[in-house]
Amino acid sequence: MRKADSIYASALDDLIDFSFDERVVDVFPDMIQRSVPSYGNIISMIGVFAAKYAQQNSQCYDLGCSLGAASLSMRQKITHDNCTIVAVDNSSAMIDRAQTIFDADQSSRVPVTLICADIEDVSIENASVVVMNFTLQFIPLAERAALIKRIYDGLKPGGILILSEKISFEDEARDSFLNESHHDFKRANGYSDLEISQKRTALENVLIPETLATHQQRLADAGFASSTMWFQCFNFISLVALK
Ligand code: GEK
C-alpha cells in the first residue's frame, strides 16, 4: 500500500527548504499523485510519446527521474531494438529506491541504467527521447538555457524533449486564480491548509516557475523546430519539443 504523505501535517517550528530526502522518498508516490494534477495520465502519455519517437540504436533519458515512473512507462512501451533508458537523479535516496523498483520489474527487456548525479554533469548523447518531468523547475534559472541547449545538441534529428513544468503567469489575476485552483485540488485530495501553506514555504526558494512564453522562447533559442503544449491543468503544463 502507498504510504500517505503527512510531512507538513503538523506545525513545524523550523521550515527548512524542501529536499528530496529519505522521508520524501517514503511518501513520494502519494505526494506527487495528490499534488500534481493528472500525474498518472502524464506518466502514461510519456510512454505513448516514447513508443512513437524512440529510435532504434538510441538512448532515452529521464532527467530528475525520482522513483523512475516515467522510465517505467517508457520501458513498457518501447519496442525498438537496441534502445536503452538512462535515468538520472541527484538524490541518492531516490536512486536507491528506484533501483529496487527496476530490479523487481519484469515488464520489458529494455535496459535501464540509473545514475545518481547532477543532471548538469551527465552528458546527453545519441538521444531520441529526453524527459524532464517536473525537474527543470528545480534547476537554477541561470543554468536552464545551457541545459536545454545541451539536450538539443544531444538529440538526434526527429528526437523530442518532453518538458513538464509548474508555470507562472504574467497576468496577476490569472496567476492567483490558477494557484488557488491548484490549492483547491490539493484540499480536495485531503491536504489541510496548514500542509499546503507549509509546503509552499518550503518550496519557495527551491521550485522557481517561469512563464510558458519563457519556456517556449528558450526552446526556440536552443534550436527546437517546434514546442507544443499537449497538457495543461491549472498551472501545470507539459510540452513536446521536436528537433
Ligand atoms: C517523475 N520526474 O516522477 N540533478 C538531478 N536531479 C535533480 C536535480 C538535479 N540538478 N534537481 C532536482 N532533481 C519525476 C518527478 S520530482 C518533481 C520529478 C517534484 C530531482 C529531485 O531529486 C527529484 O527527484 C526530481 O528532480 C523532481 O516523473 O517532486 O515536484
Side-chain angles (χ1 to χ4, degrees):
M1 215 177 78
R2 236 169 48 190
K3 191 166 168 194
D5 166 28
S6 58
I7 293 176
Y8 294 103
S10 47
L12 301 170
D13 291 339
D14 210 4
L15 260 184
I16 48 167
D17 283 351
F18 187 84
S19 88
F20 292 93
D21 56 19
E22 195 69 55
R23 231 164 31 123
V24 168
V25 167
D26 266 350
V27 298
F28 188 74
D30 181 66
M31 172 187 282
I32 200 149
Q33 291 271 2
R34 288 163 70 208
S35 307
V36 174
S38 293
Y39 173 74
N41 291 334
I42 295 171
I43 290 293
S44 299
M45 276 309 297
I46 288 172
V48 173
F49 286 128
K52 186 163 178 176
Y53 289 97
Q55 299 175 26
Q56 207 174 324
N57 306 320
S58 75
Q59 311 208 83
C60 297
Y61 287 85
D62 181 3
L63 304 178
C65 63
S66 299
L67 300 182
S71 293
L72 263 181
S73 179
M74 291 198 280
R75 185 180 204 213
Q76 287 162 2
K77 285 282 190 311
I78 289 171
T79 53
H80 306 76
D81 289 335
N82 199 20
C83 196
T84 60
I85 296 173
V86 179
V88 181
D89 205 288
N90 64 354
S91 155
S92 57
M94 285 289 187
I95 290 291
D96 290 349
R97 189 68 57 87
Q99 190 65 62
T100 63
I101 293 170
F102 281 99
D103 288 347
D105 178 52
Q106 301 294 322
S107 63
S108 150
R109 284 183 313 162
V110 175
V112 178
T113 304
L114 288 162
I115 299 177
C116 185
D118 197 297
I119 293 167
E120 318 245 14
D121 299 329
V122 171
S123 63
I124 318 272
E125 21 188 66
N126 190 32
S128 54
V129 176
V130 177
V131 174
M132 273 205 289
N133 202 35
F134 302 107
T135 307
L136 187 65
Q137 58 198 20
F138 295 108
I139 301 293
L141 284 174
E143 292 158 29
R144 292 183 188 182
L147 174 57
I148 294 291
K149 176 77 174 108
R150 227 160 39 74
I151 291 171
Y152 176 83
D153 290 342
L155 275 165
K156 293 161 75 80
I160 57 165
L161 165 64
I162 303 170
L163 177 65
S164 310
E165 287 278 293
K166 184 176 187 183
I167 60 167
S168 58
F169 296 82
E170 255 166 44
D171 182 274
E172 253 175 58
R174 181 170 305 178
D175 195 66
S176 60
F177 170 73
L178 292 168
N179 251 309
E180 254 321 297
S181 301
H182 175 232
H183 293 161
D184 291 340
F185 164 85
K186 289 183 73 168
R187 256 176 230 113
N189 282 335
Y191 282 117
S192 67
D193 289 344
L194 178 67
E195 285 177 293
I196 292 170
S197 93
Q198 292 198 128
K199 175 85 178 270
R200 192 175 52 191
T201 306
L203 280 173
E204 217 147 54
N205 303 316
V206 179
L207 190 168
I208 314 290
E210 295 174 288
T211 63
L212 174 61
T214 301
H215 284 295
Q216 292 197 300
Q217 188 60 55
R218 184 184 291 127
L219 291 164
D221 291 346
F224 283 97
S226 67
S227 67
T228 304
M229 186 170 68
W230 67 271
F231 171 86
Q232 177 176 10
C233 183
F234 314 131
N235 42 356
F236 289 77
I237 60 147
S238 187
L239 304 170
V240 169
L242 182 68
K243 178 161 177 177

